[in-house]
């Protein structure tokens, strides 16, 4: 999104423009000698009076950053006093292979650190729900000291053994430690898969909409993404076959339990259908199960992960401790055939020499059966109450304006607006009201969807946040 001055801010608009131009000059985005747009052009672009731009230019002329000559326009001074001559970073930062985040996602993350904002966008547990490390284990870690050398490329052997026990116990997935790679969160697992197993130009089928950090990640790897339409049972698997024929897709990526953002739980028959098709077509199926453990009380138990139905090694299973224990540990894993795990481990070793060994040691006690089950019981009670709070306030504030379904697990309510409101307008209005949510377009959804998260904000904030959102929606609809 193009920068524009904020007319509600306390800093006068001409000062905001001067500050913005100064930043661009100092960063090299506007190198010495480059010419600036005519005042009336910039005024139109920023939606301000010409006099406001004149005042900004005047301020920068006075500080020696700009020069102008009647009839010749305005340009960045060639003899900048006190301004470092640095590379044109703008050109570099726009040139790298890794794409920047979507502008709406960036805007959300910029304001998410403002303590006055109620955050219904953050997919993270509130700090009080992060369990403290069991004291006996902590004492023994402190007594014996942490191992601080480089970790094993596949991950600390003890942690991998614990993950193998954990996935067998909790999900019925049978895997040896050799088939497990510890990663820096599920995100790195997805990144490694896209870089090591696919090539630029390869086509991938994934649910539409889909988890938003996977979209730019895959696009940065040069992959072509094709969406699988979804219904109540999961994605429509027939489309995989069609895409295989028309686009030669080389991988399928799904998030079948409490899909982010829709909350859909794939039926067991859809899971089997997809697995059988991928086996038949001999294409890998990547299963992201980041929220799979978070069934809410009263909801039916979800079908087992697809990986638990896969004795042949078609599925690469990705999970982490981020949504259940603590995202800051950055502990995730990928489970798959040994040859694939070795390939990913080799790349990871070259990239970062392995996940932090301190984090890996800290993570181990959380995978013990009793610690895990105690945390799950706490989380389920907490998330259930939070969900009920959000559903009740949605009913009160947004009935008639939006529709939603009761999520069976995880952190989010996926809402559809009855009347389409411009997303940018709605987000701006919400930020002015002091609340943020995630617009559906960042997940690749059609306009008119939004995701509201009830895991981060406290009960009173969830209520107030939805009230603010309802006000913002009325404002956006009236524009
Ligand atoms: C569906 C899904 N997969 C993966 C991740 C990545 O999580 P992490 O890297 O913290 O494990 C997230 C985070 O929000 C997610 O929602």
């Amino acid at each position: 999104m193009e920068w524009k001055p904020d007319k509600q801010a306390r800093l006068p608009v001409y000062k905001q423009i001067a500050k913005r131009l100064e930043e661009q000059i100092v960063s090299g985005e506007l190198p010495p000698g480059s010419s600036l747009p005519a005042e009336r052009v910039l005024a139109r672009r920023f939606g301000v009076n010409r006099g406001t731009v004149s005042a900004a230019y005047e301020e920068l002329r006075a500080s020696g950053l700009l020069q102008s000559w009647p009839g010749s326009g305005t340009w960045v001074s060639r003899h900048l006093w006190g301004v470092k001559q640095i590379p044109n970073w703008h050109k570099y930062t726009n040139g790298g292979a890794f794409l920047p985040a979507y502008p709406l996602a960036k805007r959300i993350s910029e304001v998410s650190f403002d303590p006055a904002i109620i955050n219904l966008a953050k997919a993270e547990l509130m700090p009080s729900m992060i369990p403290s490390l069991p004291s006996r284990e902590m004492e023994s870690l402190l007594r014996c000291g942490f191992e601080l050398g480089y970790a094993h490329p596949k991950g600390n052997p003890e942690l991998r053994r614990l993950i193998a026990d954990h996935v067998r116990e909790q999900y019925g997935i049978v895997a040896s430690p050799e088939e497990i790679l510890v990663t820096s969160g599920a995100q790195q697992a997805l990144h490694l898969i896209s870089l090591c197993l696919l090539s630029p130009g390869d086509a991938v089928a994934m649910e539409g909409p889909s988890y938003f950090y996977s979209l730019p990640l895959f696009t940065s790897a040069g992959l072509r993404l094709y969406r699988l339409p979804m219904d109540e049972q999961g994605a429509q698997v027939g489309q995989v076959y069609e895409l295989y024929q028309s686009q030669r897709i080389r991988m399928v990526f799904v998030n079948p339990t409490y899909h982010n953002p829709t909350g859909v739980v794939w039926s067991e028959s859809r899971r089997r259908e997809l697995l059988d098709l991928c086996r038949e077509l001999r294409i890998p199926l990547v299963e992201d199960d980041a929220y799979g453990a978070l069934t809410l009380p009263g909801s039916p138990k979800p079908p087992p992960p697809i990986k638990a139905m896969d004795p042949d090694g078609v599925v690469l299973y990705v999970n982490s401790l981020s949504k259940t224990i603590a995202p800051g540990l950055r502990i995730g894993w990928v489970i798959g055939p040994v040859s694939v795990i070795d390939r990913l481990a080799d790349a990871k070793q070259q990239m970062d020499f392995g996940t932090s060994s301190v984090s890996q040691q800290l993570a181990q006690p959380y995978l013990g059966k009793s610690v895990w089950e105690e945390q799950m019981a706490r989380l389920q009670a907490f998330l259930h109450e939070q969900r009920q709070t959000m559903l009740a306030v949605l009913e009160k504030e947004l009935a008639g304006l939006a529709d939603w379904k009761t999520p069976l697990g995880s952190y989010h309510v996926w809402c559809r607006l009855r009347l389409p409101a411009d997303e940018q307008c709605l987000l701006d209005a919400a930020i002015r009201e002091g609340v943020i949510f995630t617009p559906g377009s960042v997940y690749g959804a059609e306009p008119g969807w939004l995701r509201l998260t009830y895991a981060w904000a406290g009960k009173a904030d969830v209520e107030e946040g939805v009230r603010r959102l309802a006000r913002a929606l009325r404002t956006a609809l009236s524009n």
Side-chain angles (χ1 to χ4, degrees):
M1 191 190 51
E2 207 191 353
W3 180 90
K4 281 214 164 51
D6 177 358
K7 292 182 184 163
Q8 319 290 329
R10 238 182 276 153
L11 192 66
V13 170
Y14 85 93
K15 287 248 182 220
Q16 291 180 48
I17 296 174
K19 186 163 168 269
R20 163 80 179 165
L21 292 172
E22 182 173 342
E23 281 163 5
Q24 290 179 298
I25 294 168
V26 171
S27 70
E29 193 176 331
L30 289 174
S34 54
S35 48
L36 269 78
E39 289 171 1
R40 82 192 130 66
V41 174
L42 204 58
R44 205 174 320 121
R45 193 184 302 161
F46 289 160
V48 299
N49 295 327
R50 182 176 170 176
T52 309
V53 175
S54 252
Y57 278 8
E58 185 47 46
E59 175 139 326
L60 294 171
R61 264 194 299 270
S63 61
L65 289 174
L66 292 186
Q67 290 181 319
S68 44
W69 203 250
S72 311
T74 302
W75 60 91
V76 179
S77 172
R78 287 197 179 77
H79 311 286
L80 288 179
W81 239 89
V83 174
K84 284 180 247 144
Q85 298 290 311
I86 56 174
N88 183 347
W89 286 121
H90 180 66
K91 218 163 158 192
Y92 284 93
T93 53
N94 279 306
F98 209 89
L99 299 175
Y102 294 139
L104 281 179
K106 261 196 187 154
R107 174 101 169 99
I108 295 166
S109 75
E110 269 160 26
V111 290
S112 68
F113 290 96
D114 177 347
I117 290 268
I118 295 180
N119 199 328
L120 303 181
K122 196 171 183 137
E124 193 174 325
L125 287 173
M126 67 162 65
S128 62
M129 291 313 294
I130 294 192
S132 43
L133 199 67
S135 49
R136 203 151 35 89
E137 275 81 359
M138 192 63 188
E139 272 163 31
S140 109
L141 270 177
L142 290 173
R143 207 176 37 251
C144 307
F146 285 94
E147 282 171 31
L148 292 173
Y150 288 122
H152 187 287
K154 283 185 168 181
N156 177 332
E158 176 60 5
L159 178 59
R160 282 185 289 132
R161 192 187 62 71
L162 286 165
I163 293 172
D165 291 348
H166 170 75
V167 296
R168 187 179 321 104
E169 177 81 32
Q170 301 299 327
Y171 308 104
I173 294 172
V174 180
S176 71
E178 284 308 292
E179 293 168 294
I180 298 174
L181 170 68
V182 175
T183 55
S184 175
Q187 186 72 0
Q188 189 185 40
L190 300 177
H191 194 193
L192 287 168
I193 290 169
S194 62
L195 290 182
C196 302
L197 308 182
L198 298 167
S199 308
D202 281 349
V204 172
M206 59 202 293
E207 294 135 319
S210 197
Y211 161 57
F212 74 98
Y213 278 112
S214 63
L215 298 176
L217 196 75
F218 290 166
T219 321
S220 292
L223 306 179
R224 290 180 291 131
L225 306 181
Y226 291 93
R227 60 168 68 217
L228 299 171
M230 292 183 77
D231 57 33
E232 307 272 284
Q233 304 285 308
Q236 293 166 16
V237 174
Q239 294 281 321
V240 173
Y241 190 67
E242 278 177 29
L243 284 171
Y244 180 75
Q245 296 214 303
S246 60
Q247 303 298 334
R248 288 277 138 204
I249 52 163
R250 296 208 61 225
M251 187 177 275
V252 179
F253 170 68
V254 290
N255 175 209
T257 307
Y258 312 125
H259 171 257
N260 183 7
T262 64
V264 165
V265 179
W266 285 47
S267 66
E268 185 160 346
S269 60
R270 278 287 168 87
R271 293 175 193 230
R272 287 196 187 279
E273 201 188 333
L274 180 63
L275 177 61
D276 290 346
L277 183 58
C278 288
R279 189 188 296 113
E280 188 190 318
L281 300 176
R282 302 188 63 206
I283 51 178
L285 168 48
V286 179
E287 179 178 30
D288 177 347
D289 200 18
Y291 292 97
L294 297 173
T295 304
L296 294 182
S299 302
K301 196 167 176 284
I306 309 178
K307 183 68 185 165
M309 310 168 181
D310 168 42
D312 307 320
V314 174
V315 178
L316 299 177
Y317 175 84
V318 173
N319 206 333
S320 79
L321 294 183
S322 293
K323 307 298 171 186
T324 45
I325 304 289
L329 284 172
R330 304 309 300 131
I331 294 293
W333 53 87
V334 50
I335 302 180
V338 176
S339 60
V340 177
I341 294 303
D342 286 349
R343 168 76 175 101
L344 301 182
D346 174 60
K348 179 168 161 62
Q349 170 82 346
Q350 297 182 54
M351 265 179 203
D352 69 1
F353 288 115
T355 299
S356 152
S357 52
V358 173
S359 257
Q360 295 196 56
Q361 288 163 80
L362 287 173
Q364 287 171 22
Y366 291 116
L367 287 166
K369 192 164 184 282
S370 62
V371 177
W372 175 264
E373 283 175 357
E374 200 180 302
Q375 169 69 353
M376 284 309 109
R378 260 183 94 214
L379 270 189
Q380 281 158 359
F382 163 74
L383 291 172
H384 180 257
E385 203 179 322
Q386 292 281 109
R387 178 193 68 180
Q388 295 311 97
T389 302
M390 181 167 274
L391 292 177
V393 65
L394 279 173
E395 198 51 56
K396 207 159 144 214
E397 299 290 333
L398 286 181
L401 290 174
D403 298 294
W404 55 89
K405 289 220 165 71
T406 299
L408 301 175
S410 170
Y411 298 179
H412 318 292
V413 180
W414 182 235
C415 293
R416 166 154 227 170
L417 301 178
R418 288 203 181 166
L419 291 172
D422 177 77
E423 274 191 341
Q424 181 66 59
C425 244
L426 178 57
L427 186 63
D428 287 342
I431 291 172
R432 282 199 297 278
E433 289 286 348
V435 64
I436 45 174
F437 64 91
T438 323
S441 68
V442 294
Y443 306 99
E446 309 289 318
W449 288 94
L450 36 113
R451 192 193 76 176
L452 302 175
T453 299
Y454 48 78
W456 174 260
K459 191 168 184 286
D461 276 352
V462 167
E463 288 171 340
E464 177 56 20
V466 173
R467 278 196 285 274
R468 293 181 186 184
L469 177 65
R471 283 202 296 273
L473 181 57
R474 289 197 177 88
T475 310
L477 287 174
S478 67
N479 282 338

